[in-house]
């Protein structure tokens, strides 16, 4: 990233408005007017060959006539004239283009858009947009947009893919009393992407939290890399589920990989906190912008009302932050600041008689205690209490404590006095909310933020002794055969080349061979049809398990070939697979798809009805480390089965995690070749006994 160029775009010292107009109501007029109204201190250069003066400013015929340097050019002219204007901007030495004009890729004019980016790059310029509202920055008194005014000032900056939503959110900062420093409209993302804005905002001194409204990312992996490296918290509201999941899916995994699931995993892996809706984006963003992450699970709730205390306790659990009782010595200390009928456990209930002093003193004791990782203060307005006094007392106590690594959030339930105290709190660095569950939800965001950083720090242990060439040869042979569907035999050979434990087998071409191989491998035996035209072998009657002798082999050979002949008469049958029968184990499914946005992903779930009916699966963007794979187990509803239920011993989760990591490295390593894979089922045994892949499927990318 060229930060000087992006500085020119987001914090320009001079702005030219190409297409400035003297006619009120035109965007080219509004942008000039907004720059003036926002009190912009830089130079404003209206460009228009047909005007002399707009809103008291001298107008230039061409940007090339502007006497001084121009950092940013806001382009408001119709799409068909933009190309010529971009060339002039390049010749002038402009750094960044804010192309407000629409009529590009959003209406199918992709080539024109690409051409403009190419021209811009050839001059070293970057392009924001096209099809944007513009850029707004409180700290620079810059409203280079057609949104009517700067947002309420705040410490978060927002990047929005939707222009209309950006304008609406701008206005709603005043009613919500939650502000932003910058609003950046990113439009068609022809050049400047979410990744670029995250990287730039991470180094912006006036932004402490990066908020994103995302409809779709263009460079998923780059976004993840940059977000992972960012020092500031990032929160994203993702809307819309792309079409890609609907594409005809040949593998099981393909049909299960909804875009929303993959996005959720990618955000998690990249350390991006998710917002569930617009309100949540504001609320969580406020907390993330004002408070440090919650580094442990010991959250203490301080309340003057039992009701809000219980609501908060419920919300804590719902948000994955179940409360723990405070240690005895802290309880003893807290007891000093409440009447005898109060409770010091957690929530700490200092009762409806609570005075400002009680609030402040018990807060001080709790906040300073090493057991406490963070505090939520709840307040029910009473006739005698002083909401503003409590607010100021808490704020002062936080300052006096000198503690900077424990978050505090507040919820007041009450009327106007409470509202104004909350406004004061949020303006003074302590996020305050009108409902206790919101305070808990934002604490959960602060916890997620800390946990995700730990999670993404784990290093991947690279797989050893990989036989990549062997895998590529199998792939190339299948391609030479005109196929994209690999047979189980081919898929298992590739898995084997990456060190995954697969069953032994030999391919028989007649009954005699079948018997011979069965004796070599040893009974019991599983027999399966091998045909690139039969993907779901059981459906074709192409699988027989638990065959115990030579007669059984001969009979199964006839049945399987007969069944498949009637199922698909023209199927190209390679033979019948004679396979070792793996002992019974817990069936799981491992799979992968090449996601349109994030590339190779790995999926995990329990087999059978869990995957067929409940679609109980979880995804990660590949590759993943072993500990990261372990975390996936907890995300499926069937998780207790792996841990051992009803007298069953726990499964070998350690080995399973290793295998998932290995699998993720395989699909990434073969990214150019492989589209989808399944290991379905994988049989997982007791701890120490490992696992076995008994069925494998690979579908190649079409080339
Ligand atoms: P498909 O999914 O194409 O129908 P599979 O190879 O998965 O075919 O076989 C169907 C089922 O047979 C599996 O889900 C598994 O329960 C069982 N099975 C297949 N191969 C073996 C094996 N080698 N050992 C034990 N059970 C097996
Ligand atoms: Mg199968």
């Amino acid at each position: 990233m060229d930060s000087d160029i992006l500085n020119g775009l987001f914090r320009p010292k001079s702005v030219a408005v190409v297409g400035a107009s003297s006619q009120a109501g035109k965007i080219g007029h509004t942008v000039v007017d907004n720059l003036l109204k926002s009190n912009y201190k830089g130079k404003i250069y209206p460009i228009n060959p047909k005007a002399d003066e707009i809103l008291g400013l001298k107008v230039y015929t061409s940007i090339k006539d502007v006497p001084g340097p121009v950092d940013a050019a806001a382009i408001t002219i119709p799409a068909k004239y933009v190309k010529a204007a971009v060339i002039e901007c390049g010749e002038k030495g402009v750094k960044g283009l804010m192309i407000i004009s629409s009529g590009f890729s959003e209406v199918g004019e992709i080539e024109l858009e690409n051409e403009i980016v190419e021209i811009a790059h050839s001059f070293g310029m970057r392009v924001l947009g096209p099809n944007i509202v513009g850029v707004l920055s409180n700290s620079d008194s810059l409203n280079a947009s057609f949104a009517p005014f700067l947002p309420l000032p705040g410490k978060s900056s927002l990047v929005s893919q939707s222009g209309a939503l950006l304008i609406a959110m701008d206005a709603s900062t005043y009613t919500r009393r939650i502000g932003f420093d910058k609003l950046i409209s990113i439009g068609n993302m022809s050049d400047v992407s979410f990744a670029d804005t995250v990287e730039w905002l991470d180094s912006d001194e006036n932004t402490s939290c990066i908020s994103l409204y995302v409809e779709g990312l263009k460079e998923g992996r780059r976004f993840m890399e940059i977000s992972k490296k960012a020092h500031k918290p990032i929160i994203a509201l993702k809307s819309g589920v792309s079409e890609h999941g609907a594409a005809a899916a040949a593998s099981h995994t393909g049909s299960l990989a909804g875009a929303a699931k993959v996005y959720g995993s990618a955000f998690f892996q990249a350390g991006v906190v998710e917002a569930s809706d617009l309100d949540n984006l504001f609320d969580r963003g406020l907390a993330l912008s004002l408070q440090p992450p919650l580094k442990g699970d010991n959250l203490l709730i301080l309340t003057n009302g039992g009701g809000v205390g219980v609501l908060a306790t419920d919300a804590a659990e719902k948000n994955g932050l179940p409360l723990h009782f405070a240690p005895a010595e802290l309880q003893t200390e807290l007891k000093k600041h409440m009447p005898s009928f109060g409770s010091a456990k957690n929530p700490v209930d200092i009762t409806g008689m609570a005075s400002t002093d009680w609030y402040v003193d018990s807060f001080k004791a709790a906040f300073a205690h090493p057991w406490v990782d963070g505090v939520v203060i709840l307040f029910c307005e009473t006739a005698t209490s002083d909401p503003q006094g409590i607010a100021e007392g808490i704020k002062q106590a936080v300052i006096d404590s000198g503690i900077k690594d424990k978050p505090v959030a507040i919820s007041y339930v009450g009327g106007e006095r409470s509202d104004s105290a909350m406004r004061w709190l949020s303006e003074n660095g302590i996020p305050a909310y009108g409902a206790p569950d919101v305070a808990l939800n934002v604490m959960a965001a602060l916890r997620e933020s800390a946990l995700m950083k730990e999670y993404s720090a784990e290093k991947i242990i690279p797989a050893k002794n990989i036989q990549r060439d062997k895998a590529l040869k199998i792939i190339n042979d299948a391609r030479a055969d005109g196929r994209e569907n690999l047979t189980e035999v081919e898929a298992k050979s590739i898995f084997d080349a990456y060190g995954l434990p697969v069953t032994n087998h030999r391919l028989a071409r007649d009954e005699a061979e079948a018997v011979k191989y069965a004796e070599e491998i040893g009974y019991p035996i599983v027999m399966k049809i091998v045909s690139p035209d039969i993907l779901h072998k059981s459906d074709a009657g192409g699988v027989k398990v638990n065959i115990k002798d030579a007669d059984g082999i001969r009979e199964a050979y006839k049945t399987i070939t007969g069944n498949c002949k009637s199922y698909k008469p023209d199927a190209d049958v390679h033979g019948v697979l004679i396979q070792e029968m793996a002992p019974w184990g817990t069936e799981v499914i491992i799979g992968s798809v090449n996601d349109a946005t994030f590339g190779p992903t790995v999926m995990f779930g329990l087999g059978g009805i869990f995957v067929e009916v409940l679609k109980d699966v979880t995804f990660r963007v590949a590759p993943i480390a072993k500990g990261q794979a372990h975390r996936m187990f907890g995300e499926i509803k069937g998780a207790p089965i792996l841990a051992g239920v009803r007298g069953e011993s726990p499964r070998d989760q350690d080995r399973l995690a290793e295998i998932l990591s290995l699998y993720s490295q395989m699909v990434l390593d073969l990214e150019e070749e492989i589209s989808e894979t399944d290991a379905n089922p994988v049989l997982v045994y007791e701890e120490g006994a490992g696992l076995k892949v008994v069925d494998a499927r690979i579908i190649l990318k079409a080339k």
Side-chain angles (χ1 to χ4, degrees):
M1 178 186 67
D2 192 341
S3 58
D4 176 53
I5 300 288
L6 289 186
N7 284 342
L9 194 53
F10 297 131
R11 305 192 69 183
K13 296 198 174 66
S14 47
V15 180
V17 180
V18 178
S21 167
S22 41
Q23 211 178 317
K26 289 223 164 179
I27 287 186
H29 180 87
T30 308
V31 175
V32 177
D33 193 28
N34 281 341
L35 281 163
L36 291 169
K37 276 200 228 144
S38 60
N39 240 334
Y40 178 56
K41 300 293 183 301
K43 293 260 186 307
I44 307 168
Y45 300 116
I47 314 294
N48 182 339
K50 292 190 199 114
D52 300 322
E53 194 210 273
I54 292 171
L55 295 162
L57 295 169
K58 176 177 163 51
V59 175
Y60 297 86
T61 305
S62 155
I63 193 162
K64 291 185 353 198
D65 301 335
V66 170
V70 177
D71 275 354
I75 296 181
T76 64
I77 52 182
K80 60 181 172 190
Y81 303 122
V82 169
K83 200 167 110 184
V86 169
I87 294 170
E88 292 202 355
C89 288
E91 285 165 356
K92 169 67 190 166
V94 168
K95 291 179 180 168
L97 305 172
M98 306 172 186
I99 305 186
I100 292 174
S101 321
S102 50
F104 295 89
S105 65
E106 81 282 8
V107 293
E109 296 287 345
I110 299 164
E111 262 168 51
L112 179 61
E113 190 171 295
N114 290 342
E115 205 184 333
I116 282 166
V117 173
E118 242 168 70
I119 295 168
H121 285 180
S122 74
F123 286 104
M125 298 186 290
R126 297 294 305 265
V127 176
L128 184 67
N131 189 24
I132 60 168
V133 172
V135 173
L136 300 94
S137 171
N138 264 309
S139 49
D140 301 293
S141 304
L142 170 81
N143 181 1
S145 83
F146 61 88
F149 38 71
L150 284 169
L152 181 77
K155 289 185 185 299
S156 285
S157 286
L158 172 79
V159 185
S160 173
Q161 203 170 344
S162 157
L165 196 60
L166 179 133
I167 297 174
M169 284 172 79
D170 180 11
S172 86
T173 57
Y174 291 91
T175 49
R176 294 172 189 271
R177 307 302 307 173
I178 295 177
F180 291 106
D181 185 60
K182 294 181 176 62
L183 300 178
I184 296 172
S185 170
I186 201 167
N188 294 0
M189 307 189 296
S190 67
D191 175 22
V192 173
S193 62
F194 275 109
D196 292 321
T197 52
V198 166
E199 191 172 33
W200 187 83
L201 287 169
D202 195 44
S203 63
D204 174 37
E205 59 189 4
N206 299 305
T207 297
S208 66
C209 169
I210 303 163
S211 292
L212 311 174
Y213 168 75
V214 180
E215 285 168 4
L217 294 171
K218 275 193 173 164
E219 322 153 296
R221 283 191 178 250
R222 185 161 165 261
F223 172 82
M224 288 177 74
E225 283 316 311
I226 284 173
S227 300
K228 230 185 267 183
K229 277 192 231 136
H231 303 282
K232 293 173 188 171
I234 306 168
I235 178 164
L237 173 60
K238 165 78 179 84
S239 76
V241 174
S242 86
E243 283 288 287
H244 96 113
S251 73
H252 230 106
T253 310
S255 62
L256 293 164
K261 260 190 185 143
V262 179
Y263 264 95
S265 305
F267 285 149
F268 177 77
Q269 287 173 268
V272 175
V273 174
E274 275 198 85
S276 54
D277 55 33
L278 266 181
D279 287 340
N280 200 233
L281 183 67
F282 276 93
D283 292 337
R284 289 189 142 197
L286 178 68
L288 288 164
S289 74
L290 298 178
Q291 294 291 312
L294 179 61
K295 287 194 294 198
D297 289 323
N298 293 326
L299 183 67
L300 197 91
I301 295 182
L302 191 61
T303 180
N304 69 341
V308 287
V310 179
L311 285 173
T313 306
D314 290 349
E317 207 168 295
K318 200 173 113 197
N319 286 287
L321 271 179
L323 298 182
H324 308 289
F325 286 148
E329 83 273 8
L330 176 56
Q331 291 198 27
T332 310
E333 178 60 29
L334 289 167
K335 276 277 182 195
K336 294 180 190 159
H337 312 292
M338 64 177 72
S340 58
F341 55 92
S343 166
K345 288 192 171 108
N346 193 17
V348 175
D349 186 351
I350 56 176
T351 83
M353 289 168 59
S355 63
T356 300
D357 284 351
W358 283 358
Y359 257 107
V360 172
D361 292 341
S362 48
F363 171 75
K364 277 183 184 165
F367 198 52
H369 195 279
W371 179 83
V372 172
D373 296 314
V375 180
V376 169
I377 297 162
L378 307 178
F379 170 77
C380 270
E381 196 169 314
T382 62
T384 53
S385 58
D386 172 14
Q388 182 63 24
I390 291 168
E392 288 173 23
I394 298 290
K395 171 71 188 171
Q396 195 56 46
V398 171
I399 294 170
D400 295 346
S401 75
I403 297 169
K404 295 202 166 67
D405 61 349
K406 295 185 184 183
V408 179
I410 296 191
S411 169
Y412 280 26
V413 179
E416 278 169 18
R417 290 192 306 145
S418 288
D419 279 356
S420 93
M422 282 199 285
R423 197 170 311 161
W424 185 89
L425 279 161
S426 291
E427 282 166 11
N428 285 278
I430 300 180
Y433 305 93
D437 47 305
V438 180
L440 270 298
N441 180 289
V442 305
M443 270 294 172
L446 295 169
R447 182 75 188 117
E448 284 160 28
S449 187
L451 279 174
M452 290 189 295
K453 282 269 177 257
E454 280 172 34
Y455 174 88
S456 65
E458 188 187 347
K459 292 270 174 296
I460 292 170
I461 300 168
K464 289 191 200 74
N465 308 323
I466 285 173
Q467 298 168 270
R468 186 167 204 266
D469 290 346
K470 183 182 157 193
L472 289 177
K473 176 162 185 343
I474 296 164
I475 289 168
N476 290 334
D477 287 352
R479 287 204 193 278
D481 197 20
R483 287 188 283 128
E484 270 135 29
N485 289 342
L486 301 194
T487 63
E488 178 180 341
V489 176
E490 292 162 332
K492 277 188 177 162
S493 299
I494 291 174
F495 282 14
D496 181 57
Y498 280 83
L500 299 168
V502 294
T503 42
N504 282 331
H505 56 230
R506 297 204 60 182
L507 185 64
R509 274 159 254 253
D510 57 38
E511 283 179 33
E513 257 185 12
V515 172
K516 182 169 159 252
Y517 295 154
E519 317 263 276
E520 277 171 26
I521 290 169
Y523 295 103
I525 285 288
V526 174
M527 290 173 68
K528 300 180 190 174
I529 194 75
V530 179
S531 164
D533 303 316
I534 300 176
L535 275 184
H536 301 279
K537 300 177 290 286
S538 303
D539 293 354
V543 181
K544 292 276 174 225
V545 300
N546 205 17
I547 303 162
K548 297 204 169 84
D549 52 33
D551 283 347
I553 297 282
R554 279 186 281 267
E555 194 190 315
Y557 197 98
K558 286 190 195 77
T559 319
I560 286 175
T561 46
N563 284 348
C564 294
K565 189 93 204 142
S566 41
Y567 182 79
K568 211 167 198 185
D570 56 346
D572 170 21
V573 173
H574 292 189
V576 175
L577 204 57
I578 310 301
Q579 190 167 83
E580 79 172 281
M581 170 132 164
W584 180 88
T586 301
E587 286 196 2
V588 305
I589 173 170
I590 301 175
S592 75
V593 289
N594 221 317
D595 182 83
T597 308
F598 297 101
T601 61
V602 57
M603 181 197 83
F604 169 75
L606 286 177
I609 56 157
F610 289 96
V611 55
E612 307 280 346
V613 183
L614 303 173
K615 308 204 181 317
D616 184 17
V617 293
T618 177
F619 281 85
R620 285 291 184 279
V621 175
I624 50 168
K626 189 178 162 185
Q628 296 165 346
H630 248 288
R631 264 201 75 109
M632 294 172 81
F633 304 156
E635 290 170 13
I636 56 169
K637 294 185 202 80
I641 292 176
L642 287 176
V645 282
R646 299 213 176 160
E648 289 275 350
S649 50
R651 304 288 98 186
D652 198 341
Q653 300 183 57
D654 207 51
R655 183 74 182 133
L656 182 56
E658 253 167 42
I659 292 299
L660 271 165
S661 172
L662 210 55
Y663 200 98
S664 73
Q665 295 181 56
M666 173 185 74
V667 295
L668 185 63
D669 197 39
L670 298 173
E671 171 177 13
E672 300 302 321
E673 301 292 340
I674 287 181
S675 153
E676 294 172 29
T677 70
D678 268 341
N680 181 26
V682 177
L683 301 177
V684 189
Y685 303 114
E686 288 178 13
E687 275 175 1
L691 46 84
K692 204 75 163 207
V693 177
V694 305
D695 186 19
R697 178 144 46 237
I698 293 179
I699 292 136
L700 301 178
K701 279 189 177 170
K703 277 196 176 167

